[in-house]
Each structure stands twice: as structure tokens, then as C-alpha cells.
């Protein structure tokens, strides 16, 4: 595979309609929001969805969901034991070879990094990944609607219980991320890997439907993908991400057409704009 030629920055917009994009288990599974009322989707949630999409695309994933396990391993430690190169490095206590074998085996390790610190291991290895993703935040404060529902949770009796279901009527979320060239060199993350991450972002909500997120309720509107022409990047990520401006066309937006997204430019920096699926 070819090496990553230069730093990459990206931004994507996600529209949410009558769905719970990321429930907070410490708050009755209500949609996450910050202290100012803006909606939030955690970076951990986004990485989980990216891993799932990469797995759908045929890539080997180290941190798999239990319901998506495709190799029979019941834990991360078991998964490392199936890797001959990692086990050989474990015996010789070669941290560098251990990390290299992990990065070669699983795309999410060489993308996001991983800490390998399992009971009984003679090595404890940390891998820093080049792909960083910020939590997503809504453009405006979100309006959360809560409804009472009846649910059956006991298979032994016919008794039903009352519960609550929460959803965001409509919101536009922004996700920002970057791919660091220096760390990509260390993990072996390539241009081909970057293209796979881009495709995962474009199709982020395929095979992700649930009762909280029905099909079509969450959509990737657009992905903005900046490729710098040098390893360190022509501009800082913060400066690049500020190129996008979002304005409301109406006081209470109800769909994506109620927003206007404009894009500024920086000399010598090209951007690819990809429509969501």
C-alpha cells in the first residue's frame, strides 16, 4: 500500500429527524446535550459506526461489537492470541514488533490506535493512531421530545411496563476530524486506508438502523475532504475547519434546506465535496 502523502482534514454534516442520535445512559437515555442545550454525538459513538462500516466493507476490525463478531473471539485478549506475529513478539518482549503486527492486521488499530494491556501479558503497548475525530455538536440547541411507551420486557409473563422514548425532532450536527501524517507513518496508515475512512463516513448510517434511529432518520448530508500537499499540512486543522460557515434561513429549521452552508478557501488547499449516500 502507498504511504499517506500528506495531512488530511475533514468535516461532515449529519441531519437528524425524529431520532435519538446518541442516548446518554446516565440521563435516562435522552439524546446527549451539553450545558448550553446543543446536541452531542460522542467521538466514541462515531468511531463505533466507522468501525462497523469498515467491517461491512470487508476490513478486519480489532474492536468489534459483540453482535458483529466475525472471528469467534470472545474478547480483545482472545483476538490477539489468534495473531501469530503478535504472539511471537510477546515471547521476545518486543513492543515494536507487537505494535507493528497489530497495525498490519487491523485497520482500526492503525487508524485510531489501541492500548494493549491484558492480564498475563509480558508487554503493555500503546499505539497512537493518526485519525482523530471530535464529538459532533448540533448547529443550534436541540428540541427533545419525550413520549411514554408501553413495552414488554418479561418473557415469562404477559405483564407490560411503562417506559419513555426520547427523540430529536430535527437537528444538523457537525463532525470535524483530521488524519496526521507523522502518526500515519508509524502505524502504516496509507492513502488507501484514508479512502476507506472517507467511504465509511459517506455511508455512516448504512446498516445502523434501530428503534431509536429508524432507517432514513439519520443522514450524512455532505463530507468535505481537504488534502494538504505536504506532510505537516499547509494550514492548521482549526483554520481549515473554520472555512465552513452555516447560517439559518428560518428561525426554526425543520430540514436541511433551512440552512445555508458556505465554504471559504485557502490558497493552494484543495477540497473534495462528497454527497452522502
Amino acid at each position: 500500500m502507498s504511504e499517506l502523502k500528506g495531512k488530511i482534514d475533514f468535516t461532515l454534516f449529519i441531519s437528524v429527524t425524529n431520532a435519538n442520535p446518541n442516548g446518554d445512559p446516565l440521563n435516562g437515555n435522552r439524546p446527549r446535550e451539553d450545558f448550553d442545550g446543543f446536541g452531542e454525538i460522542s467521538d466514541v459513538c462515531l468511531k463505533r459506526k466507522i468501525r462497523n462500516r469498515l467491517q461491512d466493507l470487508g476490513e478486519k476490525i480489532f474492536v468489534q461489537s459483540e453482535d458483529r463478531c466475525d472471528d469467534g473471539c470472545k474478547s480483545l485478549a482472545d483476538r490477539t492470541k489468534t495473531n501469530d506475529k503478535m504472539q511471537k513478539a510477546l515471547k521476545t518482549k518486543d513492543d515494536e514488533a507487537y505494535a507493528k503486527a497489530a497495525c498490519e492486521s487491523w485497520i482500526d488499530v492503525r487508524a485510531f490506535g489501541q492500548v494493549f494491556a491484558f492480564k498475563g501479558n509480558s508487554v503493555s503497548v500503546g499505539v497512537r493512531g493518526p485519525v482523530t475525530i471530535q464529538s459532533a455538536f448540533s448547529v443550534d440547541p436541540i428540541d427533545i421530545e419525550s413520549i411514554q411507551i408501553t413495552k414488554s420486557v418479561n418473557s415469562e409473563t404477559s405483564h407490560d411496563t411503562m417506559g419513555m422514548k426520547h427523540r430529536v425532532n430535527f437537528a444538523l450536527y457537525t463532525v470535524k476530524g483530521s488524519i496526521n501524517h507523522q502518526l500515519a507513518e508509524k502505524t502504516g496508515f496509507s492513502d488507501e486506508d484514508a479512502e476507506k475512512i472517507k467511504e465509511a463516513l459517506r455511508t455512516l448510517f448504512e446498516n445502523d438502523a434501530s428503534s431509536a434511529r429508524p432507517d432514513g432518520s439519520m443522514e450524512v448530508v455532505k463530507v468535505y475532504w481537504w488534502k494538504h500537499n505536504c506532510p505537516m499540512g499547509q494550514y492548521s486543522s482549526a483554520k481549515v475547519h473554520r472555512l465552513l460557515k452555516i447560517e439559518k434561513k428560518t428561525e426554526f429549521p425543520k430540514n436541511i434546506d433551512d440552512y445555508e452552508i458556505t465554504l471559504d478557501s485557502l490558497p493552494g488547499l484543495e477540497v473534495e465535496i462528497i454527497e452522502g449516500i
Side-chain angles (χ1 to χ4, degrees), residues 17-19 205-219:
T17 306
N18 295 326
F205 300 109
E206 287 298 291
N207 296 331
D208 186 58
S210 70
S211 62
R213 304 179 305 278
D215 254 336
S217 64
M218 296 190 66
E219 176 189 10

Side-chain angles (χ1 to χ4, degrees), residues 201-246:
L201 292 172
R202 186 183 77 88
T203 61
L204 195 60
F205 300 109
E206 287 298 291
N207 296 331
D208 186 58
S210 70
S211 62
R213 304 179 305 278
D215 254 336
S217 64
M218 296 190 66
E219 176 189 10
V220 174
V221 180
K222 282 185 182 179
V223 179
Y224 294 80
W225 191 265
W226 292 273
K227 296 182 76 170
H228 297 252
N229 61 19
C230 58
M232 295 301 294
Q234 299 149 262
Y235 306 96
S236 70
S237 295
K239 193 169 187 176
V240 173
H241 291 147
R242 284 198 299 269
L243 293 175
L244 284 164
K245 307 273 192 311
I246 312 164

